[in-house]
Amino acid sequence: MSASAEALVVEDLHKSFGSVEVLKGISLVAREHDVVSILGSSGSGKSTLLRCINLLEIPDAGNVYVHGELIRMTTTSGAARVPEDKRQVERMRSRLAMVFQQFNLWSHMTVLQNVIEAPMHVLKVPRAEAVERAESVLQRVDMYERKDYYPAHLSGGQQQRAAIARALAMEPAMMLFDEPTSALDPELVGEVLKVIRGLAEEGRTMLVVTHEMAFARDVSTKVMFLHEGQVEEDGVPAQVFDEPKSARFRQFLAGTLR
Amino acid sequence: MDVNVILENIPLYIEGMWVTVQLVVLSLILGLALAVPLALVATSRRRFIAFWPRAYIYFFRGTPLLVQMFMIYHGTAQFDWLKDSALWVVFKEAYWCALIAFALNTAAYTGEMLRGAIAQTPFGEVEAARAYGMSRWTRFRRIILPSACRRALPSYGNEVIFMLHGSALAGVITIVDLFGAAKIVNARHFVPFESFMAAGFFYLCLTLLIVWIFRIAETHWHAYMRPREEEGEEKGSFPARSAPAYAAKGL
């Protein structure tokens, strides 16, 4: 395990919204091929953590390294913390593909157009190659037959699979999943989880914020439980789930395993 | 009813209609070109920056087009420095003055329309664009603007029709557009009802043409917000999701 390189290092991340401190110093290391599940009840800061990693939210303090490269931050005259180099952030984001709870597909584009958009206009991949790549990832998530559909004409599960295809088409160094199945009807959760499981088994590096305990237990290489903005428990799933050290995590597990 | 007078003067009406079409098309093109940056700046989060396009929009939406056109055509003639400048070749011509007034006016309305549509861009879609590494400009060009233009399309169709009808004001400042042609026919033959009704008929035809063009455009650009056509539901496919509310209104 120590043989693989560090894909992502997060050091002592802090984030407040107004007077509410959502992240109180979170650190995490994900090596290549790691699947890190981030658990926690609502309001524990897990989505904020993910959004701070690709700077959709600007953390108040702390460092993020992607493949050893520090995302440089600076402070403006107005004492606001901002990225020093926008281009560096954009480059970093293009390597960390995100999958959202609400899919966030671009609604005026077909599935295929959604999938080729960022490769063409961010990575500058020529159209023919982008289409080829898109068709292959759409087949991978079993959405090829629906490539000419608009998002509004698809079920939630299909939209989320299309969104995963959009992420895969970036050939990302790492994938960030923000509660990918939380907005889905129960009977659609399975088809999406199956795809994500498949990706995990391929050895893709991913960070998954999730409420799916079975998924976290079976698929992750590492589990992290957040409570009130702090890491309350972490470790390999077997250890964390079978011998939880923290009372809060035991409580949380009891609540979810009802 | 003296139909013969109208029939005799059809060539004059056609000529006038051609001027009307030119004026409207040119002012729409110029107006749109101006409206996009106007809307972009008006949606800026920095108030001091957003103030200027908004002030522009308030002025042109807040005053009658006729007043604006008179200010540009009659008003500019008052300034000697302008008369002495190279710009006078533009401002001495009624045609250019009308065109400038129309373009500035429609830019304000279109800009406001786009500003509203841009503000309504689903937040998640913009966030996805950020998360995929798009720069501000790429986000605007590839996601926000195409999405906003589609939402603004129905109201833009109205604006085009208003512009066509508003363009009749050109006839007031000596331009022989469709309305100007009707005025000439009336002056020559003194049949006001027939001459203006004929102009009305041609305006109606142009309006129908515009409506038809926008209907085709909406069929094409709004496919994504129509409820899905019922195809033979294949195995594994999911029932069509409810379309957004504006699709249900038949927009």
Side-chain angles (χ1 to χ4, degrees):
Chain A
M1 185 167 144
S2 56
S4 38
E6 287 165 347
L8 178 80
V9 176
V10 173
E11 278 175 356
D12 199 28
L13 223 54
H14 288 259
K15 176 70 185 174
S16 299
F17 292 109
S19 60
V20 185
E21 198 176 8
V22 184
L23 299 180
K24 300 173 183 163
I26 300 219
S27 301
L28 117 89
V29 176
R31 294 173 184 285
E32 272 174 36
H33 313 303
D34 262 357
V35 176
V36 182
S37 285
I38 302 168
L39 309 175
S41 45
S42 70
S44 59
K46 53 196 193 308
S47 283
T48 306
L49 170 61
L50 212 59
R51 296 164 55 81
C52 279
I53 289 172
N54 66 359
L55 295 181
L56 287 179
E57 306 283 357
I58 307 286
D60 302 327
N63 292 322
V64 175
Y65 298 83
V66 177
H67 278 276
E69 182 182 343
L70 171 69
I71 310 304
R72 297 185 306 277
M73 304 295 285
T74 181
T75 308
T76 63
S77 52
R81 202 162 178 263
V82 292
E84 191 182 296
D85 176 7
K86 277 185 190 170
R87 298 282 164 272
Q88 188 196 26
V89 173
E90 285 159 12
R91 190 158 44 81
M92 174 271 284
R93 284 174 176 163
S94 73
R95 298 171 65 203
L96 305 180
M98 192 159 190
V99 175
F100 298 86
Q101 183 177 1
Q102 300 292 345
F103 332 130
N104 294 352
L105 291 168
W106 296 305
S107 58
H108 60 284
M109 298 182 188
T110 63
V111 167
L112 183 72
Q113 287 166 340
N114 264 281
V115 178
I116 62 174
E117 181 65 23
M120 279 179 66
H121 295 280
V122 177
L123 305 179
K124 313 290 179 199
V125 173
R127 187 186 181 88
E129 196 188 323
V131 170
E132 200 177 302
R133 210 193 261 189
E135 288 178 343
S136 121
V137 294
L138 283 169
Q139 259 151 3
R140 176 86 181 67
V141 300
D142 200 16
M143 281 296 290
Y144 182 77
E145 279 70 33
R146 309 219 168 236
K147 68 182 163 69
D148 296 319
Y149 279 56
Y150 287 102
H153 302 159
L154 297 170
S155 73
Q158 291 167 339
Q159 287 188 56
Q160 193 59 301
R161 283 186 283 139
I164 293 172
R166 173 172 72 174
L168 286 174
M170 296 297 281
E171 297 180 349
M174 183 170 196
M175 296 176 81
L176 309 176
F177 289 87
D178 186 8
E179 303 199 30
T181 57
S182 298
L184 298 176
D185 294 336
E187 71 267 30
L188 302 178
V189 169
E191 61 182 77
V192 172
L193 277 186
K194 202 176 108 191
V195 170
I196 303 176
R197 257 170 209 267
L199 296 175
E201 282 155 13
E202 266 176 21
R204 284 181 185 271
T205 316
M206 39 206 242
L207 236 58
V208 189
V209 170
T210 185
H211 288 291
E212 297 291 332
M213 290 305 138
F215 174 86
R217 189 182 185 124
D218 302 347
V219 180
S220 347
T221 54
K222 209 179 230 182
V223 174
M224 193 168 163
F225 174 70
L226 295 192
H227 181 74
E228 288 177 357
Q230 280 173 319
V231 181
E232 181 83 13
E233 176 109 29
D234 66 345
V236 294
Q239 165 216 325
V240 170
F241 280 99
D242 296 338
E243 301 149 31
K245 290 188 290 264
S246 129
R248 293 208 191 281
F249 187 49
R250 254 174 278 152
Q251 234 170 36
F252 176 77
L253 282 178
T256 53
L257 295 177
R258 250 169 314 157
Chain B
M1 283 284 278
D2 194 345
V3 182
N4 283 331
V5 172
I6 302 307
L7 292 179
E8 277 166 25
N9 284 291
I10 287 279
L12 182 60
Y13 278 109
I14 299 286
E15 240 170 81
M17 187 155 79
W18 174 232
V19 173
T20 293
V21 168
Q22 266 180 35
L23 272 174
V24 172
V25 170
L26 285 177
S27 55
L28 287 173
I29 292 171
L30 290 172
L32 198 59
L34 212 57
V36 173
L38 214 54
L40 175 60
V41 181
T43 46
S44 166
R45 255 174 289 168
R46 276 174 229 161
R47 286 195 171 191
F48 179 74
I49 295 177
F51 171 80
W52 298 104
R54 284 182 187 215
Y56 172 90
I57 288 169
Y58 278 121
F59 176 77
F60 279 94
R61 293 209 312 156
T63 54
L65 177 55
L66 182 62
V67 171
Q68 295 157 17
M69 193 179 70
F70 270 35
M71 281 175 68
I72 293 172
Y73 180 60
H74 296 303
T76 51
Q78 190 183 319
F79 303 114
D80 289 334
W81 58 267
L82 189 66
K83 282 174 120 168
D84 296 336
S85 78
L87 282 174
W88 188 241
V89 288
V90 173
F91 284 101
K92 72 176 184 189
E93 295 287 344
Y95 182 87
W96 296 117
C97 287
L99 183 63
I100 291 168
F102 296 168
L104 294 179
N105 183 274
T106 187
Y109 280 93
T110 311
E112 175 64 9
M113 232 173 261
L114 274 180
R115 188 198 63 75
I118 287 172
Q120 282 172 12
T121 311
F123 178 72
E125 294 186 25
V126 181
E127 183 148 272
R130 290 173 65 205
Y132 278 81
M134 287 190 199
S135 65
R136 250 177 101 86
W137 171 239
T138 308
R139 260 170 2 233
F140 182 73
R141 188 173 57 90
R142 297 293 313 170
I143 308 295
I144 298 172
L145 191 61
S147 159
C149 283
R150 284 167 166 82
R151 269 190 303 281
L153 195 59
S155 33
Y156 188 62
N158 266 333
E159 170 57 18
V160 172
I161 292 171
F162 285 140
M163 196 62 249
L164 170 69
H165 296 169
S167 77
L169 291 176
V172 175
I173 54 169
T174 74
I175 297 169
V176 185
D177 69 335
L178 198 39
F179 178 66
K183 281 204 320 185
I184 292 174
V185 175
N186 177 39
R188 281 185 194 154
H189 307 276
F190 203 65
V191 280
F193 188 78
E194 286 87 340
S195 39
F196 291 115
M197 196 181 74
F201 171 77
F202 285 114
Y203 278 116
L204 183 69
C205 291
L206 289 174
T207 304
L208 291 177
L209 180 70
I210 293 168
V211 169
W212 179 72
I213 290 172
F214 272 85
R215 187 162 301 162
I216 290 176
E218 283 177 30
T219 317
H220 182 68
W221 293 111
H222 283 181
Y224 75 100
M225 47 170 109
R226 264 196 308 274
R228 194 173 79 186
E229 299 86 12
E230 287 306 321
E231 35 177 322
E233 289 288 328
E234 332 131 49
K235 191 176 69 128
S237 85
F238 202 70
R241 291 240 142 178
S242 53
Y246 40 80
K249 288 181 201 145
L251 294 179

